[in-house]
Amino acid sequence: MARATIKQVAAAAEVSTATVSRVLNNSDYVSEEIKERVMAAVNRLNYRPSAIARSLKQDRTYMIGVIVPDISNPYFMGISRGVEDIVGKEGFQLIFCSSDENPEKERRLLKLLQEKRVDAVVLATSGGNDPAIKQIADSNMPIVLVDRKLDSPDTGSMLDLVAEDNTEGASRLTRKLLEEGHTAIGVVNGPTRSSTGRERLEGVRNAMKAFGLNEGPMVYNGDFSTEDGIRAVQQFLNAEHRPTAIISLNNRMSLGVLLEIVRSGLKIPADMAVASFGEVEAGPLLKESGLYYMEQHPYDMGIKAGEILLSRIREEARQDPPAYEIYSNEVKQLI
């Protein structure tokens, strides 16, 4: 069955198409009697306005693109929910995309969102796409970076950012292990092409230097995945000088670390102490684990990113300097 048109609604209500448009958009005065006739025709014909036509007329699609490395990660889910709860109040909807830590896929997604004419973009970049991101910014499309910075300080300084203090956070987390006497530390890190990978590893090294340890930690660089956490533990346990503690710099990798330690028959922290940058969903299942973790607030970050987005889309803050929101988190311990 063909979809009803605005002309059919107008004919059924015995009014002009302009009057139907005014009723549906509540854009001008129309008598109550006319409104009732129009809405009765709309309901009878099951008329639905064309979102495409409306977006062309208003030069707005009411769609916001969200690109994160892994939308199934609870951390990025929290950020996305925060954004959605803010922009949804204004009628915006989100298009969710996962880049899978793949710069090439991220580049394709950025192009796709531009082709879809989204009104803004929220991006947790995998790295290596500064030119493509700058091109979006130069087109006056609002773009808010979350969790991660760009490689180029010049381009990054042009954009709004909502992130964590990764360097100081990782340093505080490492100090907890050092204060317990651990000097042989294995680090499970993500790719150093991302700012989180670089900054968190820097924080670990800063803490060890501050404790007078000249020899750096044993480092495994993965892709922020559970599988990489598993592989890292396997590598550490097979090393000639096995570490006594592991610091995992991402919650997904931390899950893999915990799974492999338990699978290997080791106890936490008696046989291997563990610290995680971010909460691990399965952590509470480890009774008396002593697991250290960095408490994060992704939902609050999403709320802030959403507020910045709306101010940019409304153009009320289009000319304001870029927002730079950095969150400082606390180290917690499961007991």
Side-chain angles (χ1 to χ4, degrees):
M1 182 177 179
R3 294 177 58 181
T5 67
I6 192 171
K7 289 183 178 180
Q8 291 172 321
V9 172
E14 298 181 340
V15 297
S16 68
T17 56
T19 298
V20 175
S21 179
R22 286 198 297 271
V23 171
L24 295 179
N25 293 312
N26 196 28
S27 59
D28 204 351
Y29 173 77
V30 179
S31 70
E32 288 301 319
E33 187 268 333
I34 293 295
K35 284 183 181 179
E36 290 178 4
R37 278 164 48 190
V38 169
M39 293 310 300
V42 165
N43 294 330
R44 185 166 66 251
L45 297 174
N46 195 28
Y47 172 70
R48 295 292 179 269
S50 169
I52 296 175
R54 186 170 63 250
S55 69
L56 290 173
K57 183 178 180 180
Q58 299 179 353
D59 194 27
R60 182 170 291 176
T61 62
Y62 285 90
M63 301 296 294
I64 294 174
V66 178
I67 303 178
V68 296
D70 180 6
I71 196 62
S72 69
N73 187 322
Y75 176 76
F76 291 116
M77 288 172 62
I79 290 178
S80 299
R81 182 57 187 267
V83 173
E84 186 175 44
D85 283 354
I86 291 297
V87 303
K89 298 175 184 177
E90 300 291 329
F92 290 90
Q93 296 182 350
L94 304 186
I95 300 177
F96 296 104
C97 308
S98 289
S99 67
D100 301 324
E101 297 289 359
N102 184 328
E104 176 57 34
K105 182 178 180 183
E106 178 181 296
R107 194 154 47 246
R108 293 197 305 270
L109 291 171
L110 286 168
K111 182 178 179 181
L112 174 64
L113 292 177
Q114 284 184 288
E115 293 173 350
K116 294 291 185 182
R117 300 180 67 250
V118 297
D119 295 318
V121 172
V122 178
L123 174 66
T125 181
S126 300
N129 281 319
D130 286 20
I133 296 168
K134 184 177 185 300
Q135 187 266 327
I136 293 177
D138 290 344
S139 72
N140 290 322
M141 178 186 291
I143 178 167
V144 176
L145 301 176
V146 292
D147 185 56
R148 302 177 180 189
K149 302 173 185 176
L150 298 187
D151 300 325
S152 167
D154 291 338
T155 303
S157 64
M158 300 165 46
L159 303 176
D160 299 308
L161 171 71
V162 180
E164 298 173 307
D165 191 339
N166 289 298
T167 304
E168 178 57 28
S171 181
R172 288 203 301 268
L173 196 60
T174 305
R175 286 200 294 270
K176 289 294 184 180
L177 296 176
L178 294 170
E179 289 166 356
E180 290 192 349
H182 297 285
T183 56
I185 296 177
V187 178
V188 190
N189 193 28
T192 53
R193 67 172 179 270
S194 74
S195 63
T196 47
R198 295 191 300 271
E199 292 173 352
R200 292 176 186 178
L201 182 57
E202 179 185 3
V204 173
R205 287 173 170 157
N206 288 347
M208 296 186 74
K209 287 180 182 178
F211 267 69
L213 299 174
N214 296 322
E215 186 174 346
M218 183 184 302
V219 179
Y220 178 97
N221 283 308
D223 270 331
F224 293 130
S225 69
T226 301
E227 292 72 25
D228 279 315
I230 292 172
R231 285 190 282 266
V233 173
Q234 291 172 345
Q235 178 175 304
F236 294 154
L237 295 183
N238 290 324
E240 181 178 356
H241 300 289
R242 176 188 294 186
T244 61
I246 294 176
I247 178 168
S248 176
L249 298 176
N250 163 272
N251 61 335
R252 280 292 201 197
M253 297 190 301
S254 299
L255 175 59
V257 167
L258 296 179
L259 289 172
E260 186 60 19
I261 289 177
V262 171
R263 190 196 67 79
S264 300
L266 302 178
K267 293 183 187 261
I268 303 171
D271 300 314
M272 183 74 71
V274 179
S276 168
F277 201 111
E279 298 177 61
V280 187
E281 290 182 299
L285 297 177
L286 299 173
K287 295 182 179 179
E288 301 179 358
S289 68
L291 171 71
Y292 287 110
Y293 65 93
M294 180 63 65
E295 185 180 43
Q296 298 175 297
H297 303 282
Y299 180 77
D300 294 339
M301 293 172 62
I303 291 288
K304 175 55 68 174
E307 292 172 347
I308 294 171
L309 273 179
L310 285 184
S311 69
R312 298 299 186 190
I313 292 172
R314 292 170 180 154
E315 298 191 359
E316 62 191 35
R318 184 63 66 90
Q319 303 303 320
D320 288 355
Y324 194 76
E325 297 288 336
I326 302 298
Y327 286 71
S328 180
N329 301 322
E330 297 299 322
V331 177
K332 302 282 186 175
Q333 185 178 27
L334 288 176
I335 300 176

Coordinates of all heavy atoms in Angstrom, one line a residue, residues 235-293:
Q235 N 52.3 -14.5 28.1 CA 53.7 -14.1 27.8 C 54.4 -13.8 29.1 O 55.6 -14.2 29.3 CB 53.7 -12.9 27.0 CG 55.1 -12.3 26.7 CD 55.0 -11.1 25.8 OE1 54.5 -11.2 24.7 NE2 55.5 -9.9 26.2
F236 N 53.7 -13.2 30.1 CA 54.4 -12.8 31.4 C 54.7 -14.1 32.2 O 55.8 -14.2 32.8 CB 53.5 -11.9 32.2 CG 53.3 -10.6 31.6 CD1 52.1 -9.9 31.9 CD2 54.2 -10.0 30.8 CE1 51.9 -8.6 31.4 CE2 54.0 -8.7 30.2 CZ 52.8 -8.0 30.6
L237 N 53.8 -15.1 32.2 CA 54.0 -16.3 32.9 C 55.1 -17.2 32.3 O 55.8 -18.0 33.1 CB 52.7 -17.1 33.0 CG 51.6 -16.5 33.8 CD1 50.4 -17.4 33.9 CD2 52.1 -16.0 35.2
N238 N 55.4 -17.0 31.1 CA 56.5 -17.8 30.4 C 57.8 -17.0 30.4 O 58.8 -17.6 29.9 CB 56.0 -18.1 29.0 CG 54.9 -19.2 28.9 OD1 54.9 -20.1 29.8 ND2 54.0 -19.0 28.0
A239 N 57.8 -15.8 30.9 CA 59.0 -15.0 30.9 C 60.0 -15.6 31.9 O 59.7 -16.2 32.9 CB 58.7 -13.6 31.2
E240 N 61.3 -15.4 31.6 CA 62.4 -15.9 32.5 C 62.2 -15.2 33.9 O 62.4 -15.9 34.9 CB 63.7 -15.5 31.9 CG 64.9 -16.1 32.8 CD 66.2 -15.8 32.1 OE1 66.3 -15.2 31.0 OE2 67.3 -16.1 32.8
H241 N 61.9 -13.9 33.9 CA 61.7 -13.3 35.2 C 60.3 -12.8 35.3 O 59.9 -11.8 34.8 CB 62.6 -12.0 35.3 CG 64.1 -12.4 35.3 ND1 64.7 -13.1 36.3 CD2 65.0 -12.2 34.3 CE1 66.0 -13.3 36.0 NE2 66.2 -12.8 34.7
R242 N 59.5 -13.7 35.9 CA 58.0 -13.5 35.9 C 57.7 -12.3 36.8 O 58.2 -12.1 37.9 CB 57.3 -14.7 36.5 CG 55.8 -14.5 36.6 CD 55.2 -15.7 37.3 NE 55.3 -17.0 36.6 CZ 54.7 -18.1 37.0 NH1 54.0 -18.1 38.1 NH2 54.8 -19.2 36.2
P243 N 56.8 -11.4 36.3 CA 56.4 -10.2 37.2 C 55.6 -10.7 38.4 O 54.9 -11.8 38.3 CB 55.6 -9.3 36.2 CG 55.1 -10.3 35.2 CD 56.2 -11.3 35.0
T244 N 55.6 -9.9 39.4 CA 54.8 -10.3 40.6 C 53.5 -9.5 40.6 O 52.6 -9.8 41.4 CB 55.5 -9.9 41.9 OG1 55.8 -8.5 41.9 CG2 56.8 -10.7 42.0
A245 N 53.3 -8.6 39.7 CA 52.1 -7.8 39.6 C 51.9 -7.4 38.1 O 52.8 -7.2 37.4 CB 52.2 -6.5 40.5
I246 N 50.6 -7.2 37.8 CA 50.2 -6.8 36.4 C 49.3 -5.6 36.5 O 48.4 -5.6 37.3 CB 49.5 -8.0 35.7 CG1 50.5 -9.1 35.4 CG2 49.0 -7.5 34.3 CD1 49.8 -10.3 34.8
I247 N 49.6 -4.6 35.7 CA 48.7 -3.5 35.6 C 48.2 -3.5 34.2 O 48.9 -3.5 33.2 CB 49.4 -2.1 35.9 CG1 48.5 -1.0 35.7 CG2 50.7 -1.9 35.1 CD1 49.0 0.3 36.3
S248 N 46.9 -3.5 34.1 CA 46.2 -3.6 32.8 C 45.6 -2.2 32.5 O 44.8 -1.8 33.4 CB 45.2 -4.7 32.8 OG 44.4 -4.7 31.5
L249 N 45.9 -1.6 31.4 CA 45.5 -0.2 31.2 C 44.2 -0.1 30.4 O 44.0 1.0 29.7 CB 46.6 0.5 30.5 CG 47.9 0.5 31.4 CD1 49.1 1.2 30.6 CD2 47.6 1.3 32.7
N250 N 43.3 -1.1 30.5 CA 42.0 -1.0 29.8 C 41.1 -2.1 30.4 O 41.6 -3.2 30.7 CB 42.2 -1.2 28.3 CG 40.9 -1.5 27.6 OD1 40.5 -2.7 27.5 ND2 40.2 -0.5 27.1
N251 N 39.8 -1.8 30.6 CA 39.0 -2.7 31.3 C 38.7 -4.0 30.5 O 38.6 -5.1 31.1 CB 37.6 -2.1 31.6 CG 36.8 -1.6 30.4 OD1 37.4 -1.4 29.3 ND2 35.5 -1.5 30.5
R252 N 38.7 -4.0 29.2 CA 38.5 -5.2 28.4 C 39.7 -6.1 28.5 O 39.6 -7.3 28.7 CB 38.3 -4.8 26.9 CG 36.9 -4.4 26.5 CD 36.0 -5.5 26.6 NE 34.8 -5.3 25.9 CZ 33.6 -5.9 26.0 NH1 33.5 -6.8 26.9 NH2 32.6 -5.7 25.3
M253 N 40.9 -5.5 28.4 CA 42.1 -6.3 28.6 C 42.2 -6.9 30.0 O 42.7 -8.0 30.2 CB 43.4 -5.5 28.3 CG 43.4 -5.0 26.8 SD 45.0 -4.3 26.3 CE 45.1 -2.9 27.5
S254 N 41.7 -6.1 31.0 CA 41.8 -6.5 32.4 C 40.9 -7.8 32.6 O 41.3 -8.7 33.4 CB 41.2 -5.4 33.3 OG 42.1 -4.3 33.2
L255 N 39.8 -7.9 31.9 CA 39.0 -9.1 32.0 C 39.8 -10.3 31.5 O 39.8 -11.4 32.1 CB 37.7 -8.9 31.1 CG 36.8 -10.2 31.0 CD1 36.4 -10.6 32.4 CD2 35.6 -9.9 30.1
G256 N 40.5 -10.1 30.4 CA 41.3 -11.2 29.9 C 42.4 -11.6 30.8 O 42.8 -12.8 31.0
V257 N 43.0 -10.6 31.5 CA 44.1 -10.8 32.5 C 43.5 -11.7 33.6 O 44.1 -12.7 34.0 CB 44.6 -9.5 33.0 CG1 45.5 -9.7 34.3 CG2 45.4 -8.8 31.9
L258 N 42.4 -11.3 34.2 CA 41.8 -12.0 35.3 C 41.4 -13.5 34.9 O 41.7 -14.4 35.6 CB 40.5 -11.3 35.8 CG 40.8 -9.9 36.4 CD1 39.4 -9.3 36.8 CD2 41.7 -10.0 37.6
L259 N 40.8 -13.6 33.7 CA 40.4 -14.9 33.2 C 41.7 -15.9 33.1 O 41.6 -17.0 33.5 CB 39.7 -14.8 31.8 CG 38.3 -14.2 31.8 CD1 37.9 -14.0 30.4 CD2 37.4 -15.1 32.6
E260 N 42.7 -15.4 32.5 CA 43.9 -16.2 32.3 C 44.6 -16.5 33.6 O 45.2 -17.6 33.8 CB 44.9 -15.5 31.3 CG 46.0 -16.4 30.9 CD 45.6 -17.7 30.2 OE1 44.5 -17.8 29.7 OE2 46.5 -18.6 30.1
I261 N 44.7 -15.6 34.5 CA 45.3 -15.8 35.8 C 44.6 -16.9 36.6 O 45.2 -17.9 37.1 CB 45.4 -14.5 36.7 CG1 46.4 -13.6 36.1 CG2 45.7 -14.9 38.1 CD1 46.5 -12.2 36.8
V262 N 43.2 -16.8 36.6 CA 42.4 -17.8 37.3 C 42.6 -19.2 36.6 O 42.7 -20.2 37.2 CB 41.0 -17.4 37.3 CG1 40.1 -18.5 37.8 CG2 40.8 -16.2 38.2
R263 N 42.5 -19.2 35.2 CA 42.7 -20.4 34.4 C 44.0 -21.1 34.7 O 44.1 -22.3 34.7 CB 42.5 -20.1 32.9 CG 42.4 -21.4 32.1 CD 42.7 -21.0 30.6 NE 44.0 -20.7 30.4 CZ 45.1 -21.5 30.3 NH1 44.8 -22.8 30.5 NH2 46.3 -21.1 30.1
S264 N 45.0 -20.3 35.0 CA 46.4 -20.8 35.2 C 46.5 -21.4 36.7 O 47.6 -21.9 37.0 CB 47.4 -19.8 35.0 OG 47.4 -19.3 33.7
G265 N 45.5 -21.3 37.4 CA 45.5 -21.8 38.8 C 46.2 -20.9 39.8 O 46.5 -21.3 40.9
L266 N 46.4 -19.6 39.5 CA 47.0 -18.7 40.4 C 46.0 -17.9 41.2 O 44.8 -17.7 40.7 CB 47.9 -17.7 39.6 CG 49.0 -18.3 38.7 CD1 49.7 -17.2 38.0 CD2 50.0 -19.1 39.6
K267 N 46.3 -17.4 42.3 CA 45.4 -16.7 43.1 C 45.8 -15.2 43.1 O 47.0 -14.8 43.1 CB 45.5 -17.2 44.6 CG 44.9 -18.6 44.7 CD 44.9 -19.0 46.2 CE 44.5 -20.4 46.3 NZ 43.1 -20.7 46.6
I268 N 44.8 -14.3 43.2 CA 45.0 -12.9 43.2 C 44.6 -12.4 44.6 O 43.5 -12.7 45.1 CB 44.1 -12.2 42.2 CG1 44.3 -12.7 40.8 CG2 44.3 -10.7 42.2 CD1 43.3 -12.3 39.7
P269 N 45.5 -11.7 45.3 CA 46.8 -11.2 44.9 C 48.0 -12.1 45.4 O 49.2 -11.7 45.2 CB 46.9 -9.8 45.5 CG 46.2 -10.0 46.8 CD 45.1 -11.0 46.6
A270 N 47.7 -13.2 46.0 CA 48.8 -14.0 46.6 C 49.9 -14.4 45.6 O 51.0 -14.3 45.9 CB 48.2 -15.3 47.3
D271 N 49.4 -14.9 44.4 CA 50.4 -15.3 43.4 C 50.7 -14.2 42.4 O 51.8 -14.1 41.8 CB 49.9 -16.5 42.7 CG 49.7 -17.7 43.6 OD1 50.6 -17.9 44.4 OD2 48.6 -18.3 43.5
M272 N 49.7 -13.3 42.2 CA 49.9 -12.2 41.2 C 48.9 -11.1 41.6 O 47.7 -11.3 41.6 CB 49.5 -12.7 39.8 CG 49.7 -11.7 38.7 SD 51.5 -11.4 38.3 CE 52.0 -13.0 37.5
A273 N 49.5 -9.9 41.8 CA 48.7 -8.8 42.1 C 48.2 -8.2 40.8 O 48.9 -8.2 39.8 CB 49.4 -7.7 42.9
V274 N 47.0 -7.6 40.8 CA 46.5 -7.0 39.6 C 45.9 -5.6 39.8 O 45.2 -5.4 40.8 CB 45.4 -7.9 38.9 CG1 44.8 -7.2 37.7 CG2 45.9 -9.3 38.6
A275 N 46.2 -4.7 38.9 CA 45.6 -3.4 38.9 C 45.0 -3.1 37.6 O 45.6 -3.4 36.5 CB 46.6 -2.3 39.3
S276 N 43.8 -2.5 37.5 CA 43.1 -2.3 36.2 C 42.7 -0.8 36.1 O 42.2 -0.2 37.0 CB 41.8 -3.1 36.1 OG 41.0 -2.7 35.1
F277 N 43.0 -0.2 34.9 CA 42.5 1.1 34.6 C 41.1 0.9 34.1 O 40.8 0.7 32.9 CB 43.4 1.8 33.5 CG 43.3 3.3 33.5 CD1 44.4 4.0 33.8 CD2 42.1 3.9 33.1 CE1 44.3 5.4 33.9 CE2 42.0 5.3 33.1 CZ 43.1 6.0 33.5
G278 N 40.2 1.1 35.0 CA 38.8 0.9 34.7 C 38.2 -0.3 35.4 O 38.9 -1.3 35.7
E279 N 36.9 -0.3 35.8 CA 36.3 -1.3 36.5 C 36.1 -2.6 35.5 O 35.9 -2.4 34.3 CB 34.9 -0.9 37.0 CG 35.1 0.2 38.0 CD 33.7 0.7 38.5 OE1 33.0 -0.1 39.1 OE2 33.4 1.9 38.3
V280 N 36.2 -3.7 36.1 CA 36.0 -5.0 35.4 C 34.7 -5.6 35.9 O 34.5 -5.8 37.1 CB 37.1 -6.0 35.6 CG1 37.0 -7.2 34.7 CG2 38.5 -5.3 35.3
E281 N 33.7 -5.9 35.0 CA 32.4 -6.4 35.4 C 32.5 -7.7 36.2 O 31.8 -7.9 37.2 CB 31.6 -6.6 34.2 CG 31.1 -5.4 33.4 CD 30.2 -5.6 32.3 OE1 30.7 -6.3 31.3 OE2 29.1 -5.2 32.3
A282 N 33.5 -8.5 35.9 CA 33.6 -9.8 36.6 C 34.5 -9.7 37.8 O 34.6 -10.6 38.6 CB 34.3 -10.8 35.6
G283 N 35.0 -8.5 38.1 CA 35.9 -8.3 39.3 C 35.2 -8.7 40.6 O 35.9 -9.4 41.4
P284 N 34.0 -8.3 40.9 CA 33.4 -8.6 42.1 C 33.2 -10.1 42.4 O 33.0 -10.5 43.5 CB 32.0 -7.9 42.1 CG 32.2 -6.8 41.1 CD 33.2 -7.3 40.1
L285 N 33.3 -10.9 41.3 CA 33.2 -12.4 41.5 C 34.4 -13.0 42.1 O 34.4 -14.1 42.6 CB 32.9 -13.0 40.1 CG 31.6 -12.6 39.4 CD1 31.6 -13.3 38.0 CD2 30.4 -13.0 40.2
L286 N 35.5 -12.2 42.1 CA 36.8 -12.7 42.7 C 36.8 -12.3 44.2 O 37.1 -11.2 44.5 CB 38.0 -12.1 42.0 CG 38.1 -12.5 40.5 CD1 39.3 -11.7 39.9 CD2 38.3 -14.0 40.4
K287 N 36.3 -13.1 45.1 CA 36.3 -12.8 46.5 C 37.6 -12.6 47.1 O 38.6 -13.3 46.8 CB 35.5 -13.9 47.2 CG 34.1 -14.0 46.8 CD 33.4 -15.1 47.6 CE 31.9 -15.2 47.2 NZ 31.2 -16.3 48.0
E288 N 37.8 -11.6 47.9 CA 39.0 -11.2 48.6 C 40.2 -11.1 47.5 O 41.3 -11.6 47.8 CB 39.3 -12.3 49.6 CG 38.2 -12.4 50.7 CD 38.6 -13.5 51.7 OE1 39.6 -14.2 51.5 OE2 37.8 -13.6 52.6
S289 N 39.9 -10.5 46.4 CA 40.9 -10.4 45.4 C 41.9 -9.3 45.6 O 43.1 -9.5 45.2 CB 40.2 -10.2 44.0 OG 39.7 -8.9 44.0
G290 N 41.5 -8.3 46.3 CA 42.4 -7.2 46.5 C 42.7 -6.4 45.2 O 43.7 -5.7 45.1
L291 N 41.9 -6.6 44.2 CA 42.1 -6.0 42.9 C 42.0 -4.5 43.0 O 41.0 -3.9 43.4 CB 41.0 -6.5 41.9 CG 41.0 -5.8 40.5 CD1 42.2 -6.2 39.7 CD2 39.7 -6.2 39.8
Y292 N 43.0 -3.8 42.5 CA 42.9 -2.3 42.4 C 42.3 -2.0 41.1 O 42.6 -2.6 40.1 CB 44.3 -1.7 42.5 CG 45.0 -1.7 43.9 CD1 46.0 -2.6 44.2 CD2 44.5 -0.9 44.9 CE1 46.6 -2.6 45.4 CE2 45.0 -1.0 46.2 CZ 46.1 -1.8 46.4 OH 46.6 -1.8 47.7
Y293 N 41.5 -0.9 41.1 CA 41.0 -0.4 39.8 C 40.8 1.1 39.8 O 40.5 1.6 40.9 CB 39.7 -1.2 39.4 CG 38.5 -0.9 40.3 CD1 37.6 0.2 40.1 CD2 38.3 -1.6 41.5 CE1 36.6 0.4 40.9 CE2 37.3 -1.3 42.4 CZ 36.4 -0.3 42.0 OH 35.4 0.0 42.9

